[in-house]
Structure formats: C-alpha cells, structure tokens
Amino acid sequence: MDTNLYVDFLVYALTGFGIMIVGLLLFELTTKNKEFALIFKGNVSAALSLGGRLAGLAIVVRAASENSVSLSDMLLWGVIGIVALVILYYVTELITYLFGKMLGVHVTIFKAIEQNNIAVGILILLISCSVGMIIAGCLTYDPDLIG
C-alpha cells in the first residue's frame, strides 16, 4: 500500500479547502454587500450570490487539482479562479448597470441583493458557475489541445 497516495490526497484536499476559505474571505471583502451579514438576516439573494461564487470557485479548484502538475500549479490556478470571479462580479455589475441605463431602469446588483431580489441572486449564481466551468475547461495540459 502506497502511503504517499494518502498523503497526497490530504495535502491536495487541504489546499483545495484552503483556497475555498481564502476565496470566501476575499469575496466578502471585495464586494459592496456584506453578504454574511445579509445571509444571517435571511437574505436569500445574498446566499445565492455568495454560494454561486463558491460553487464557481469549487469547479475551478477541482479542475486545478485534477490537471495540475504540482501543488504550486494548483495554488496558482486557484488564485486565478478567485481573481477571475471577483473581476466577474464587477463586470457583471457594470453590464447590468449599462443595460439598465439603456432600458431606463436604474438598477445595480449591489442594491438588488440588499433588497433580496432572488432573481438577481440566481443570475449571479449561474454566471459564477458558468465562468467556473469555462475556466475549468481551460485548465488542461493535453499537448494535443495546446497545439
């Protein structure tokens, strides 16, 4: 029995959970909404939004651990996943604002989540998971795909 297999599992799993915790903290620090406070007040939209970003990050972390060539490689892609999801949140906020302005509706994701707009929470959840899947799909070292 190869004990390195179990050690590798523990190291990669703990690293993955660490990436998730860091991502959770950074998501909370970099958004206008303080989603934890809103969630504990019963705000479903905040839970959907934050949960979606965590799910998107989990998809990236899974692909990173599955396709990485080293632990540092996994960490790098985990950090890229966190940064991409933070940037995505602000890009989505900008796009939503611009579409709203074109339609004559003053809307922001920040305000919608504060007002517990569940439709917006679901939108952020699905966008975050979609971005996570796209990033995860790009995490490959298959020479046939790279060219």
Side-chain angles (χ1 to χ4, degrees):
M1 187 177 305
D2 187 7
T3 56
N4 286 341
L5 179 65
Y6 300 114
V7 172
D8 287 348
F9 164 77
L10 284 174
V11 169
Y12 274 79
L14 291 174
T15 301
F17 293 136
I19 292 168
M20 293 296 295
I21 291 167
V22 169
L24 178 65
L25 293 173
L26 289 176
F27 294 155
E28 183 70 9
L29 292 172
T30 59
T31 57
K32 293 178 186 177
N33 300 97
K34 295 307 160 208
E35 289 166 324
F36 266 113
L38 292 173
I39 290 166
F40 286 114
K41 291 179 182 175
N43 187 311
V44 175
S45 179
L48 290 167
S49 174
L50 184 59
R53 284 181 283 154
L54 284 173
L57 181 56
I59 292 166
V60 173
V61 169
R62 178 192 179 269
S65 64
E66 187 174 48
N67 295 306
S68 63
V69 294
S70 66
L71 190 61
S72 60
D73 190 42
M74 178 188 171
L75 278 168
L76 172 66
W77 286 109
V79 169
I80 289 170
I82 292 169
V83 171
L85 287 164
V86 168
I87 291 170
L88 159 83
Y89 185 84
Y90 286 101
V91 168
T92 304
E93 176 81 45
L94 176 65
I95 291 170
T96 304
Y97 174 77
L98 293 175
F99 277 135
K101 193 170 185 174
M102 286 179 0
L103 298 171
V105 178
H106 183 68
V107 63
T108 65
I109 291 172
F110 167 73
K111 287 182 184 176
I113 288 175
E114 263 195 0
Q115 296 169 351
N116 199 17
N117 184 326
I118 295 173
V120 171
I122 292 171
L123 176 66
I124 297 300
L125 181 146
L126 293 173
I127 289 172
S128 297
C129 288
S130 299
V131 167
M133 286 189 271
I134 291 168
I135 294 168
C138 297
L139 295 178
T140 182
Y141 293 101
D142 185 348
D144 293 333
L145 295 177
I146 295 172

